[in-house]
Amino acid sequence: MTHRMILNETSYFGEGAINHLVEEIQKRQFNKALIVTDADLVKYNVVSKVTQLLDDAKLDYAIYDGVIPNPTIDTVQQGLKHFKQSNADCLIAIGGGSPQDTAKAIGIIINNPQYENVVSLEGVAPTQNPAVPIIAIPTTAGTAAEVTINYVITDNKLCRKFVCVDPHSIPIVAIIYPSMMASMPASLKAATGVDALTHAIEGYITKGAWALTDALHLKSIELISNSLRQSVKGDPQGVETMALAQYMAGMGFSNVGLGLVHGMAHPLGAFYNTPHGVANAILLPHVMSYNADYTGEKYRDIARAMGVKNIDAFSLQEARNTAIAAVFALNKDVGIPEKLREIGMKLEDIPSLAQAAFDDVCTGGNPRDTTLEDITELYQAIY
């Protein structure tokens, strides 16, 4: 079997990372950037940390701040108009997964205009040209959109989210600057942090997993387990470690896929505008339990990475139960809701949610082959 790894051309990590933005723009001879972000990040002066550097270097830019959570087809199309009007030749994505995903879609469509309806990008679209160059600066430690070949867009008319998988969409530069993440509210740090854990665990047990991605995912699980609680409390070292850990998880899952947690989380975002990290976090331990008998010794490895002592002395079933319990405990410690009814899920929507989850591209990577009935029962059990 042949395995493939696709990563950014260049990435920077740590407190000095942002200082490399100007040199990357200059050495690549970009003339003008369109900054893709959301209005709150502009309002609270997060974007100004970037624009001040551009101003000081006398580099030209425009701003599109119309990105919303769970970005829609219209969000992308409005961004396309801004890009064309700006005469930009590169994109700077500032924000969490929503601005990153929007920038990817804009960049792909500008250079592949036959996909301007956006929805035709679903799945593995055979685009011919790389996206407009993207420099990704995440402000959350969770989605790892800055290093993945995936992006997710919401179709409001059909009340569904669709996943696009395209190596042409990966940002050329990622700048992992912890100070951009430090001001996140504790609840957002928690949700995005468990989102990163979900990436690492699903990537580790997915059907496509292999030795190199396993190493990335296990180290990510270890770092998240050791740092998320501290990050949520505002500890700077915890924030910096989470920034690295979520990137490592992205390096892995982008190249091997995910599973049923993401398949079930995407419809929740489409139906109720549920933050993606929250949906993943609630679902994760329950879907782990559903998958347990199909994962060999991998839950023992997960438990060990999460700091469980003497795990090798446990029976296989005990090790599996312990790994699931460790995830439940982490969720509780960082304030993740326990049930889907707490985020507004309605029982009458379960048939539609289950069908959307069954059809989701991520579900096919699950280690246990699933059925529509299984997914329906899971939603009901977690309600």
Side-chain angles (χ1 to χ4, degrees), residues 207 260 264 290-291 357-358 363-364 366-376 378:
K207 291 174 180 175
L260 184 57
M264 293 178 67
Y290 169 79
N291 284 329
F358 182 75
T363 298
N366 200 62
R368 176 180 178 178
D369 290 335
T370 192
T371 66
L372 185 61
E373 292 74 20
D374 287 346
I375 297 172
T376 299
L378 275 170

Side-chain angles (χ1 to χ4, degrees), residues 103-120:
K104 289 178 179 181
I106 293 169
I108 283 290
I109 294 171
I110 288 295
N111 283 351
N112 300 271
Q114 65 270 36
Y115 296 97
E116 63 183 353
N117 69 346
V118 187
V119 72
S120 57

Side-chain angles (χ1 to χ4, degrees), residues 245-303:
Q246 61 90 35
Y247 184 93
M248 292 176 67
M251 292 171 70
F253 87 79
S254 175
N255 288 283
V256 296
L258 293 163
L260 184 57
V261 178
H262 275 75
M264 293 178 67
H266 289 147
L268 295 171
F271 274 61
Y272 313 114
N273 206 29
T274 305
H276 181 62
V278 174
N280 275 338
I282 296 172
L283 293 165
L284 176 60
H286 298 278
V287 177
M288 285 179 68
S289 181
Y290 169 79
N291 284 329
D293 290 343
Y294 297 79
T295 57
E297 288 280 341
K298 286 200 165 186
Y299 280 24
R300 191 187 305 275
D301 300 334
I302 291 169

Side-chain angles (χ1 to χ4, degrees), residues 9 30 80 83 89-91 100-113 121 127-135 148-149 151 166-173:
E9 290 181 19
F30 298 143
L80 288 167
F83 187 90
D89 58 0
C90 68
L91 293 156
Q100 307 292 336
D101 286 359
T102 302
K104 289 178 179 181
I106 293 169
I108 283 290
I109 294 171
I110 288 295
N111 283 351
N112 300 271
L121 290 167
T127 59
Q128 298 299 308
N129 303 306
V132 171
I134 302 168
I135 298 175
T148 70
I149 63 174
Y151 55 103
D166 190 349
H168 283 147
S169 73
I170 193 167
I172 59 169
V173 177

